[in-house]
Amino acid sequence: MGPDEDSTLPAEDREPGQPPSRHPRTRCCLLKGCERRFRPQRAGQRYCSDECRRAARRWSRWKAQQSYRATAVGKERRNGQSRRYRQRVRNRRSATPEEADPEAARVITRKFFRPLLRPSWLLRGIRAAAALAPSALLFARVPARHGTSLATRAALAPCYATAVDDLSNAARG
């Protein structure tokens, strides 16, 4: 009778009648590109780690998808998907902003103006008869529209500077 095939110890090193050890020998990871040697924990283990197992599963799904798409039914379904996608794109293109209702209101959120506004406590010091309008004070940091000249803001500058000085002095004293 010859030595056992599973044996990791030579037959002469084992005691007579002792069964061969039950752990499998080292294997090579079956994932292409990894091919690391590892000692499997279970009998049917093919991959050295969970990452390799997940990568092999991903590749297996991709390969199955490719072979399915090569069939007549797969090609037909894929063509149907492409057709529906092109239809959705066409429908999206037809609802562009140029063709939208010109009467529709433009929504401006609060966050749009918040960094540009002055704090509300500045309004407390303004008297009702003051020459400076509250909007001129509040919107002092708001930039002029693109394409307008600096002269459009020049009228607000002197009024604003004196009002801010008056308010800051009143707040201190």
Side-chain angles (χ1 to χ4, degrees):
M1 200 157 119
D4 295 327
E5 289 184 26
D6 274 349
S7 174
T8 56
L9 292 174
E12 58 271 2
D13 290 346
R14 274 189 281 133
E15 293 179 20
Q18 179 185 4
S21 60
R22 285 295 196 187
H23 59 277
R25 49 192 131 165
T26 59
R27 294 182 186 166
C28 191
C29 181
L30 294 183
L31 182 68
K32 189 174 183 179
C34 177
E35 296 158 3
R36 221 177 339 191
R37 301 221 32 104
F38 72 102
R39 184 177 286 283
Q41 303 299 314
R42 293 173 304 283
Q45 192 173 351
R46 296 183 170 106
Y47 304 104
C48 62
S49 64
D50 284 339
E51 293 83 30
C52 285
R53 187 176 48 76
R54 281 193 290 268
R57 175 66 64 192
R58 236 184 348 261
W59 179 85
S60 174
R61 275 189 246 135
W62 174 84
K63 188 63 179 168
Q65 186 180 38
Q66 294 302 312
S67 59
Y68 173 73
R69 284 187 180 172
T71 64
V73 174
K75 285 179 185 177
E76 184 180 335
R77 288 196 179 162
R78 181 67 181 140
N79 287 339
Q81 282 179 339
S82 299
R83 209 175 9 262
R84 288 189 298 275
Y85 172 75
R86 286 191 300 270
Q87 184 64 39
R88 279 196 308 271
V89 169
R90 260 185 254 124
N91 291 343
R92 253 186 263 143
R93 223 181 278 145
S94 67
T96 56
E98 296 86 31
E99 298 172 5
D101 185 21
E103 299 297 319
R106 182 173 163 228
V107 178
I108 299 175
T109 62
R110 290 182 180 185
K111 291 180 182 178
F112 179 78
F113 281 113
R114 181 146 323 264
L116 302 172
L117 294 177
R118 290 281 185 191
S120 61
W121 63 267
L122 284 175
L123 288 176
R124 289 187 206 134
I126 298 176
R127 293 191 183 123
L132 182 64
S135 60
L137 181 63
L138 285 176
F139 293 110
R141 289 188 193 166
V142 177
R145 280 186 61 178
H146 178 71
T148 58
S149 67
L150 292 175
T152 56
R153 307 231 16 152
L156 290 178
C159 300
Y160 171 71
T162 56
V164 169
D165 290 340
D166 292 343
L167 290 174
S168 61
N169 291 335
R172 283 189 210 129

